[in-house]
Amino acid sequence: MKDNPWLALVAGLLTAVVGVLVYGWVVRRTEHRVPVEVSLEGAGAGVGWGTLLGIVLFGAVIASIAFFGEYTINGLGTPASAVALLGIMAGAAVTEELVFRGVLFRNVELWTGTWIALVLTGSLFGLIHLLNPNATLWGAVAIAIEAGGMLTAAYIATRKLWVPIGLHFGWNIAGSAIFSTEVSGSNTAQGLLDATMSGPALVTGGSFGPEGSIYAVVLGVLATGVFMWLAYRRGHVVPVRRSARTDLAATLSR
């Protein structure tokens, strides 16, 4: 697939589709309910708006870094590689959201309430990125704060996986396929642009990529705040109190 970007694109998209189908089947068989979090109603709009928001947010991070001359575009990069990255990032975004938000967060929330589950699963999401080739401890912490918080909050606000899937996908393709930066220290291939970054790791993210930039952390925290505000307005936040927690969590899963 490395030498065939179109095959990589198709494989990634198939992985995404099969992942959603398998998730829905498992939920039906084990929880004996309709998996509303992956229902097709509103799927297109959710993924579309989420993707757009992810691209805009990552674009704002790059713009902030470029403002101080630490991100430079040298010309055209590798369009074929950008095509492959679209598939790779689609598969990664869907599978990670199904596991971390669809399975882990949703079930931990039943036992702990929304806020504790957000912190626990967001932290685990950051820690798992320590397995990447160019991982750093700060990078993992940054991912836990910005992505673990933002993506989980997007699920809480909507109670569907489509917006967090789109947000995750848009963020990743902006970083890889469009701006050609390192994504989570994973030795990401060059994308559409031939670009270079230099400067303090706190600003650029260093070998981990812009997700380790302080700009990404700040924007992620702001986005988390907005999504949690929406979640409170919609009554989607499950309290810690057990008596109130069980009924509300069950209702939100229907």
Side-chain angles (χ1 to χ4, degrees), residues 124-180:
L124 181 60
F125 187 65
L127 286 173
I128 202 72
H129 287 79
L130 284 173
L131 299 175
N132 291 348
N134 298 312
T136 64
L137 180 58
W138 164 247
V141 171
I143 287 287
I145 296 171
E146 73 203 23
M150 177 174 64
L151 296 171
T152 305
Y155 170 72
I156 298 165
T158 61
R159 288 294 162 177
K160 288 193 175 182
L161 289 168
W162 301 123
V163 171
I165 284 173
L167 184 55
H168 195 153
F169 176 63
W171 178 275
N172 280 2
I173 62 169
S176 60
I178 299 174
F179 294 109
S180 300

Side-chain angles (χ1 to χ4, degrees), residues 96-97 99-110 112-129 140 143-145 147-149 151-153 155-156:
E96 289 180 13
E97 290 311 303
V99 171
F100 282 92
R101 262 54 71 178
V103 176
L104 293 177
F105 171 79
R106 190 170 53 80
N107 284 285
V108 172
E109 186 185 40
L110 293 172
T112 66
T114 294
W115 279 106
I116 295 176
L118 185 153
V119 172
L120 291 176
T121 59
S123 298
L124 181 60
F125 187 65
L127 286 173
I128 202 72
H129 287 79
I143 287 287
I145 296 171
L151 296 171
T152 305
Y155 170 72
I156 298 165

Side-chain angles (χ1 to χ4, degrees), residues 178-194:
I178 299 174
F179 294 109
S180 300
T181 66
E182 184 68 273
V183 175
S184 306
S186 57
N187 286 332
T188 313
Q190 186 182 62
L192 188 62
L193 300 174
D194 176 13

Side-chain angles (χ1 to χ4, degrees), residues 72-113:
T72 305
I73 298 174
N74 305 311
L76 186 65
T78 313
S81 180
V83 171
L85 286 166
L86 290 175
I88 293 168
M89 295 306 174
V94 171
T95 54
E96 289 180 13
E97 290 311 303
L98 291 174
V99 171
F100 282 92
R101 262 54 71 178
V103 176
L104 293 177
F105 171 79
R106 190 170 53 80
N107 284 285
V108 172
E109 186 185 40
L110 293 172
W111 293 93
T112 66

